[in-house]
Amino acid sequence: MIAIGNMRNIRTSYTQTGVAAIGMNRWQLLADKALRGELLTLEEGLSVLEADNAELLPLLHAAYTVRKHYYGNKVKLNMIVNAKSGLCPEDCGYCSQSIRSTASIPKYTMLDKDTLLAGAREAVNRQAGTYCIVAAGRGPTERELAQVIDAVREIRDTMPLKICACLGILSDEQAARLQEAGVHRYNHNLNTSRHNYNSITTTHTYDQRVDTVEKVKRSGMSPCSGVIVGMGETPKELVETAFALRELDADSIPVNFLNPIPGTPLEGMPLTPPIQALKMLALFRFVCPSKEIRVAGGRELSLRSLQPLALYAANSLFVGDYLTTEGQAVEADHQMIADLGFEIEQCAL
């Protein structure tokens, strides 16, 4: 005969197990919905960001079922070259290269062709499949565009790399020239929600960013557009930004976490906590299930020791340094991927 006290313990244990099972089922239901191509509701998106921390592993498991369906256990690697540093007339509050920044950074005009080619060779050495040529500024001058195009043509002729360019606002004619030269992908991040945009940048608009991504799509280049988490946006605005990127149909979505660089207007902002950063990545996997979700700038600071868990939702990351900030050692990233039992995806041109 079971004592009454033991019965209470059994009931309590059963109740706790039941609650955990309900949590697991809830996240798997969202994963199943994503796999059917259905959009989450705003409430469902908020539930991911506001999930109890105790549900992190069931949440990531559900996100992983979606990631595995589209990408298996492969990880895409990308490398950035800061092709032009500082000297930017735009006033983006997060950026050390903007006109509002007093950060101590290198400042130089567009790198020459030989230096861009050397960067591409280093990308190959790091097993990166995509080489990202990034230049600060409102948009490329004719001289800058010609320099990039000249380098891109030789890289495409001599190396097994896809090229992503990020040169600011484009015209249709500029986008067409980049595509013809062999640029595979063009990045222009939304960064934040429409509602929050004017608090971050005033020298260009949210709609101008959307317009550039649409020009990229018309040119035939693959559109890349993402977000910077941690710039004062609300959870609702984060979900709305995820929805906007789904609507924009960006093929690649870099999820950056604000690095509050001293000397920038946002230098006092707190870092995104590791568990919250993981919930954000899970949200993007559910909202944009088939897209390349890339763990981008700030991951080392926000995710810290939990970086490996990010790859259960994301399928891509940058290796090496970012624009004006240092990244994790390349060898550490390669080891992290191997320790997870995952595999670096080789470039398929």
Side-chain angles (χ1 to χ4, degrees):
M1 188 170 184
I2 300 175
I4 291 175
N6 288 340
M7 286 293 294
R8 287 174 182 158
N9 290 338
I10 291 170
R11 281 198 298 270
T12 300
S13 176
Y14 177 81
T15 300
Q16 290 172 343
T17 302
V19 169
I22 289 170
M24 291 179 68
N25 290 338
R26 173 163 58 137
W27 307 128
Q28 194 56 52
L29 286 173
L30 294 188
D32 293 343
K33 187 172 184 177
L35 288 169
R36 293 194 300 269
E38 299 174 15
L39 178 61
L40 270 62
T41 65
L42 176 62
E43 291 73 21
E44 289 169 334
L46 286 170
S47 75
V48 173
L49 297 183
E50 296 169 356
D52 191 290
N53 289 347
E55 294 186 40
L56 178 65
L57 291 182
L59 175 62
L60 285 179
H61 174 73
Y64 174 65
T65 63
V66 182
R67 180 235 202 271
K68 187 177 182 183
H69 175 81
Y70 288 103
Y71 296 101
N73 284 336
K74 293 187 175 180
V75 180
K76 298 183 178 184
L77 301 185
N78 309 261
M79 192 193 101
I80 290 177
V81 61
N82 193 10
K84 174 187 171 187
S85 184
L87 312 174
C88 182
E90 303 300 289
D91 68 353
C92 306
Y94 52 83
C95 183
S96 61
Q97 303 185 73
S98 84
I99 196 169
R100 297 171 66 188
S101 171
T102 60
S104 178
I105 61 166
K107 295 182 180 179
Y108 50 83
T109 57
M110 185 69 72
L111 296 176
D112 61 32
K113 178 180 174 180
D114 288 343
T115 306
L116 291 176
L117 290 172
R121 286 190 288 271
E122 179 58 27
V124 174
N125 291 337
R126 295 179 184 184
Q127 300 185 57
T130 301
Y131 179 52
C132 307
I133 300 173
V134 183
R138 182 177 180 82
T141 65
E142 175 56 35
R143 174 178 167 274
E144 291 167 347
L145 191 70
Q147 282 181 254
V148 170
I149 285 173
D150 191 28
V152 166
R153 285 179 172 147
E154 185 160 342
I155 293 167
R156 289 299 305 272
D157 286 343
T158 60
M159 297 179 218
L161 284 172
K162 291 183 177 178
I163 308 296
C164 177
C166 178
L167 310 174
I169 295 170
L170 292 180
S171 67
D172 281 308
E173 186 263 345
Q174 289 172 323
R177 288 170 63 190
L178 287 168
Q179 190 278 334
E180 189 276 333
V183 173
H184 171 261
R185 175 170 289 168
Y186 194 89
N187 168 263
H188 203 57
N189 291 333
L190 292 187
N191 288 327
T192 192
S193 70
R194 179 183 292 277
H195 183 266
N196 194 45
Y197 203 82
N198 285 344
S199 69
I200 304 302
T201 306
T202 64
T203 48
H204 58 268
T205 67
Y206 180 93
D207 285 329
Q208 283 176 303
R209 285 191 172 263
V210 171
D211 181 61
T212 289
V213 177
E214 293 294 348
K215 287 173 180 172
V216 168
K217 289 159 65 176
R218 287 196 296 270
S219 76
M221 289 186 290
S222 172
C224 173
S225 189
V227 63
I228 303 174
V229 178
M231 298 196 295
E233 66 284 336
T234 65
K236 179 174 179 287
E237 288 170 343
L238 283 169
V239 176
E240 288 171 345
T241 305
F243 288 173
L245 288 166
R246 177 186 172 110
E247 179 67 23
L248 202 55
D249 200 25
D251 293 330
S252 177
I253 301 174
V255 180
N256 300 274
F257 301 99
L258 179 69
N259 181 345
I261 299 170
T264 63
L266 297 183
E267 65 176 329
M269 297 296 287
L271 294 175
T272 302
I275 291 179
Q276 199 59 35
L278 291 169
K279 292 175 188 176
M280 191 72 222
L281 292 168
L283 171 71
F284 270 93
R285 178 53 69 202
F286 291 143
V287 174
C288 304
S290 66
K291 303 302 186 179
E292 177 182 336
I293 306 298
R294 186 185 312 148
V295 196
R299 67 175 165 98
E300 298 84 355
L301 293 175
S302 283
L303 288 162
R304 300 196 290 275
S305 62
L306 299 189
Q307 285 189 72
L309 292 179
L311 291 176
Y312 285 99
N315 66 295
S316 177
L317 52 80
F318 285 109
V319 286
D321 296 337
Y322 301 98
L323 295 175
T324 63
T325 58
E326 293 184 354
Q328 182 166 283
V330 176
E331 297 78 12
D333 283 333
H334 289 178
Q335 189 64 59
M336 176 175 70
I337 293 166
D339 289 347
L340 286 165
F342 288 4
E343 176 186 355
I344 296 172
E345 181 173 321
Q346 301 304 310
C347 182
L349 294 175

